[in-house]
Amino acid sequence: MSGKQPISTAPKDGSKVQVFWTDEDGQENESIGQYRSLDRLKATGGQFDETDAGWWIFTDSSTQKKVSPHSWRPATKAGDDEDESED
C-alpha cells in the first residue's frame, strides 16, 4: 500500500482517490474522494459557482460533502490483496 502524499500532488482529472481530511471536531477521516472542477460540475447541469469546485466525498450512499483534504493516496479496490490467489 502506498504512503500518503500531499494533496497538491493528487490527480484532478475526476479519478477517485483515498483522501485524508480533518473534520470540525479535529477527527482525522479517510474517504474515497474526487476532485470536481467548475467545468466538470457545470457539465452535469444545475447552478454552480467557483466555490463548488474542490474535493467531494460521499458520507453515505446518497449524501455528498465537500472537504479540504491534506493528503491522499491511490484508492485500493476491494479484493486487491486476494489477486494472487486467483491463479
Side-chain angles (χ1 to χ4, degrees), residues 2-65:
S2 300
K4 295 180 187 177
Q5 300 173 43
I7 196 63
S8 61
T9 64
K12 293 185 175 182
D13 60 2
S15 58
K16 294 179 181 177
V17 298
Q18 191 80 19
V19 294
F20 300 88
W21 53 283
T22 305
D23 65 21
E24 58 274 358
D25 296 325
Q27 176 68 40
E28 175 85 11
N29 297 280
E30 63 179 272
S31 306
I32 297 295
Q34 179 182 46
Y35 185 85
R36 297 184 185 153
S37 66
L38 184 56
D39 289 339
R40 186 176 298 271
L41 289 167
K42 285 183 175 180
T44 65
Q47 300 209 6
F48 297 98
D49 63 35
E50 59 277 349
T51 63
D52 296 312
W55 288 96
W56 289 84
I57 62 159
F58 276 93
T59 59
D60 61 38
S61 62
S62 61
T63 307
Q64 298 180 57
K65 177 179 182 174

